[in-house]
Amino acid sequence: MLTFLALSMIIVFIVLLSKNKLSVFAALTIVPFVFGAIATFVTGASFLDLFEWIKEGILFSVNEETGKVSMGVISPAIVILFAVLYFGIMLNVGLFDPLCEFFIKRAKGDPLKVTMATVLTSTVVTLNGDTTTTIIICVAAFLHLYKQMKIKLIYLAVIIVTPIGIFNQLPWGGPTIAAATAMDVSISELFADLLPGMLVAEVFAIFMAYFIGMKERKRLNFDPKTAKDISPKQMETMLDAIRLKDPELKRPKLFVFNLILTLAILVMLVMDIAHGGVLFGIGAAVALTVNYKSASLINERLDDLAADALAPALATLAAGVFSGILTGSGMSTALATSITAIIPESLGANMAPIYALIAAPAITFLPQDAFYFGIAGVMSDVMAQYGISASEAAVASMVGQAFRLISPVIPALYMLVDSTETNFVDFQIKYVIYAWPIILIYLAVYTITGALPI
C-alpha cells in the first residue's frame, strides 16, 4: 500500500506541475501533505507524526540507534537564499558586465560559441562538487547573455546541469560517498571504475552543447560566414543592452573590490572553510555596505532583491516537506523494496546492467540516501550470490546518475527553472531528450572496462 501511495504521490506531483495547476511551492507542500495524511491512517501512525516528518525533512533527524544527525534541506536553503541575494547584488553593480561583453564580442552573435562557453564554464565550476554553487554561478554569468541573444533559456538549464550530473561522481561528491559507504567499497576504487565513463560522458556533454548551438544558429538565422558583416553600430546596440541596464545601480569604480570579494568567497567555499550560507550572507552585507553606503539605499536594494532570493529558498524548503514525508512515512523504503523485488534472481550474472537500468528512476525520484542505503545496499547483497562483487554492484548503482539532475528532490533545480523561466516538467523532458545517451555511454564504457559484468 505504501508503494502505491509513493508512486501515486510522484505521479500526481508531476501531472499537477506539468499542467501548471499548482506552483512548485504548492505542489511540493500540498501534494505530499495529503498523501502523508493518508499514510498515517495506512500505517497506524499518529496524525501528529506527519508534522514530525516534515520537521525532519526541513531541519534535521536523529537516528535513535546510532545518534547520527542527518540534516534536512535547511542547509541548502540558506545557501540559496544568501547566494541568490549576493549574486543579485553583483549583477546590479555590474560585476558580470565585462564577462558578458567579452562573450558578446567574441561570439559576434554566434549562439554556438555561447553554448560552448556555457558547457565549459559549468564543467570547471562543478569540480567543486557543489550543485547549488555551480547553478548559481553559471546562471549569474550567462542568463542575461542568453536573453540578449534570444537563445532559448531552457537550453541554458540543460547545458548547465549536464556536467554537474557527470562530475558529482567525483570522490568528494555525495553520490560516490553514499554508494561507497552503503556497499562498503573503497571510494578511490569506485572512482577509478567510474572515471572512464565520466570522461566519455563529458565529451558527449560538449558535443550536446555544440549540437544545441548549431540548432540555435539555424533557428536564429545566424550565418557565421556573414558574422564579420556585423556593423560596429549593431555591436554597440548589443553591448548597450548590458551597459545601459539599471546604470544607476552600477559601480564600475568598485569592480576590482567586488571581483576580489567574490573570488575570496568562492575560494573559501571550495576549501570548505565555512558554510556557504555564512560566506554569502557576510559577503552580501559587505557588498551592500561598500557599494551603496546609504542605509535607505541598502534597504531599497534589499526590497528589490528579496523576491528573487525568496522564491527559490521557499521552493527548497518545500522540497524538504516532499522528501521528509516520503522518507518518514516509510514510502521511500516501501518503494525501494518493491523496486528491488522487480528484478528476478534468475537473471544471475546479467543482473548488474538490468539493475542499473531499473534503478535509474529510483535514483531520480528518491532521496539520495534512501536509494543508496535502501535499494543499493540490499541489491549488493543479492548480486553477491551470483558472483557480482560489491564494487561492480556499486558501479551499477551509479549508472542512473545520468538522470539524477532532473530529480524533484534536488532543491537547487527549482532555482534553476525559476531563473530560466522554465516549467520543471518541461525541463525534465528536454533534459531527457538531449542527455539520454549518457546512460548508454556509462553502460558501454563500464562493460568494456570490465567494471560492469554482463
Side-chain angles (χ1 to χ4, degrees), residues 264-275:
I265 290 174
L266 294 179
V267 168
M268 287 189 286
L269 188 68
V270 172
M271 295 177 65
D272 200 24
I273 290 176
H275 185 270

Side-chain angles (χ1 to χ4, degrees), residues 8-29:
S8 299
M9 183 172 82
I10 292 170
I11 292 171
V12 170
F13 170 78
I14 292 173
V15 170
L16 290 176
L17 274 186
S18 63
K19 293 184 177 296
N20 290 314
K21 296 296 184 180
L22 290 177
S23 66
V24 170
F25 175 73
L28 285 167
T29 305

Side-chain angles (χ1 to χ4, degrees), residues 87-106 139-145 148 238-253 255 258-259 262 292:
F87 283 106
I89 297 168
M90 290 298 112
L91 282 170
N92 288 159
V93 301
L95 176 65
F96 298 101
D97 286 3
L99 180 65
C100 289
E101 290 181 22
F102 171 79
F103 283 127
I104 288 175
K105 291 175 182 177
R106 294 289 295 176
V139 167
F142 289 99
L143 182 62
H144 290 289
L145 182 60
Q148 168 64 18
M238 294 177 69
L239 293 173
D240 282 345
I242 302 296
R243 296 167 179 166
L244 302 182
K245 179 176 172 50
D246 301 322
E248 72 281 2
L249 299 178
K250 297 187 186 296
R251 296 295 186 268
K253 294 181 179 179
F255 175 80
N258 289 318
L259 178 62
T262 302
Y292 297 112

Side-chain angles (χ1 to χ4, degrees), residues 4-273:
F4 173 77
L5 280 178
L7 290 172
S8 299
M9 183 172 82
I10 292 170
I11 292 171
V12 170
F13 170 78
I14 292 173
V15 170
L16 290 176
L17 274 186
S18 63
K19 293 184 177 296
N20 290 314
K21 296 296 184 180
L22 290 177
S23 66
V24 170
F25 175 73
L28 285 167
T29 305
I30 297 173
V31 172
F33 187 85
V34 170
F35 280 91
I38 296 173
T40 61
F41 290 104
V42 171
T43 61
S46 167
F47 183 77
L48 296 179
D49 287 338
L50 181 59
F51 299 101
E52 181 66 19
W53 301 336
I54 294 172
K55 186 217 75 174
E56 292 177 349
I58 295 176
L59 300 175
F60 65 90
S61 60
V62 180
N63 188 307
E64 296 181 357
E65 296 180 0
T66 64
K68 179 183 176 181
V69 176
S70 298
M71 296 301 297
V73 300
I74 189 66
S75 179
I78 293 174
V79 173
I80 288 173
L81 177 66
F82 286 114
V84 173
L85 174 62
Y86 179 83
F87 283 106
I89 297 168
M90 290 298 112
L91 282 170
N92 288 159
V93 301
L95 176 65
F96 298 101
D97 286 3
L99 180 65
C100 289
E101 290 181 22
F102 171 79
F103 283 127
I104 288 175
K105 291 175 182 177
R106 294 289 295 176
K108 294 182 179 180
D110 190 346
L112 174 60
K113 293 181 180 179
V114 175
T115 57
M116 294 301 288
T118 305
V119 73
L120 294 175
T121 302
S122 178
T123 297
V124 172
V125 177
T126 198
L127 294 178
N128 69 4
D130 186 81
T131 298
T132 302
T133 302
T134 303
I135 289 175
I136 289 172
I137 292 174
C138 290
V139 167
F142 289 99
L143 182 62
H144 290 289
L145 182 60
Y146 272 64
K147 286 183 176 180
Q148 168 64 18
M149 295 182 63
K150 296 182 173 58
I151 302 173
K152 290 182 179 180
L153 296 183
I154 195 169
Y155 289 143
L156 174 61
V158 171
I159 293 173
I160 287 175
V161 301
T162 302
I164 298 175
I166 296 167
F167 288 100
N168 66 359
Q169 298 175 85
L170 289 166
W172 49 88
T176 305
I177 294 173
T181 303
M183 283 165 277
D184 194 24
V185 299
S186 165
I187 290 180
S188 58
E189 178 186 354
L190 176 58
F191 176 64
D193 289 336
L194 296 175
L195 184 58
M198 292 168 58
L199 294 178
V200 177
E202 173 60 15
V203 172
F204 171 80
I206 294 172
F207 170 78
M208 183 191 75
Y210 176 85
F211 176 80
I212 290 174
M214 292 294 288
K215 186 176 181 180
E216 284 297 89
R217 266 185 178 180
K218 182 177 181 180
R219 186 181 68 86
L220 296 169
N221 296 316
F222 177 86
D223 185 355
K225 294 180 181 179
T226 61
K228 62 179 180 293
D229 297 329
I230 294 178
S231 68
K233 183 177 181 180
Q234 288 174 311
M235 182 62 70
E236 285 301 309
T237 299
M238 294 177 69
L239 293 173
D240 282 345
I242 302 296
R243 296 167 179 166
L244 302 182
K245 179 176 172 50
D246 301 322
E248 72 281 2
L249 299 178
K250 297 187 186 296
R251 296 295 186 268
K253 294 181 179 179
L254 292 171
F255 175 80
V256 174
F257 167 80
N258 289 318
L259 178 62
I260 292 174
L261 176 63
T262 302
L263 291 176
I265 290 174
L266 294 179
V267 168
M268 287 189 286
L269 188 68
V270 172
M271 295 177 65
D272 200 24
I273 290 176

